[in-house]
Amino acid sequence: MTELILALDVTVKREALAIAELCAPHLDAIKLGYPLVISSGLSIARDLEPLDLPLIADFKVADIPNTNRLIAEQVFDAGFSSIICHGFTGADAVQACVDVAADFGGACFVVAEMSHPGATEFFHGGTAEKIAQLAVSCGADGIIAPATRPERVRDLRKIVGKRKILSPGVGTQGGDAGAIARLVDAIIVGRAIYEAKDPVTAIKAFSSVR
Ligand code: 3DU
């Protein structure tokens, strides 16, 4: 079954923890990014540890190899199990994240194509395909590909084969969970869950199509 990952972009720590606790029994992982980590600190990973779910650090790391390595070490030390990095920085920079992930027994995912409308400006024309290829050659665990463009996900699947595709853009951004769930290993859902009046009911609706 396609996994369900909650994008916990809630910037008030107390609220984030409450939503995470409520949703945890119905999730496969939680993705945290700048909104929550900047407001609450990296230690939020330890606060979420009792939920016993994999934590994905969505920092879209995009620096020189040494800085990527330093960032990734901090992330895994803090208790995250996966990191997301950008791929346009090149193989050496991606490799730094992949290597640190491997050292910690964790995973690294590379953004191949983003889900928002503006993403077509730079990711189309062969770039996403090149990044997906780079993710494979660097030994990354998978890629991030857009739920808003299932046809692109199909193209990228041909490149990454059995490596995982995690797909954001479901719900609020317009991506259809049913259409994308068949093509990917995990859907990433944020606002459609954490802004719902009843997040668990919202999760169950997503769960029914995957
Ligand atoms: O649109 P939502 O509220 O379901 O949140 C989607 C999450 O996934 C959010 O954290 C965003 O930063 C992340 N994401 C994308 O939406 C699209 C990408 O290409 C990569 C990450």
Side-chain angles (χ1 to χ4, degrees), residues 65-89:
N66 186 61
T67 307
N68 277 6
R69 177 179 62 78
L70 295 170
I71 293 169
E73 285 171 356
Q74 292 299 314
V75 161
F76 286 105
D77 252 346
F80 286 88
S81 53
S82 303
I83 193 165
I84 295 174
C85 68
H86 265 304
F88 61 77
T89 46

Side-chain angles (χ1 to χ4, degrees), residues 57-123:
D58 182 3
F59 291 154
K60 297 186 183 69
V61 183
D63 216 308
I64 60 169
N66 186 61
T67 307
N68 277 6
R69 177 179 62 78
L70 295 170
I71 293 169
E73 285 171 356
Q74 292 299 314
V75 161
F76 286 105
D77 252 346
F80 286 88
S81 53
S82 303
I83 193 165
I84 295 174
C85 68
H86 265 304
F88 61 77
T89 46
D92 51 356
V94 170
Q95 196 66 56
C97 292
V98 170
D99 289 348
V100 174
D103 287 347
F104 281 83
C108 176
F109 297 93
V110 181
V111 178
E113 177 171 327
M114 297 185 74
S115 58
H116 59 300
T120 61
E121 291 171 35
F122 287 99
F123 286 103

Side-chain angles (χ1 to χ4, degrees), residues 7 9 31 58 60 111 113-116 144 168-170 172-173 188-192 194:
D9 297 325
K31 181 180 83 66
D58 182 3
K60 297 186 183 69
V111 178
E113 177 171 327
M114 297 185 74
S115 58
H116 59 300
I144 308 297
V170 170
T172 312
Q173 293 184 51
I188 298 172
V189 187
R191 287 164 287 178
Y194 67 73

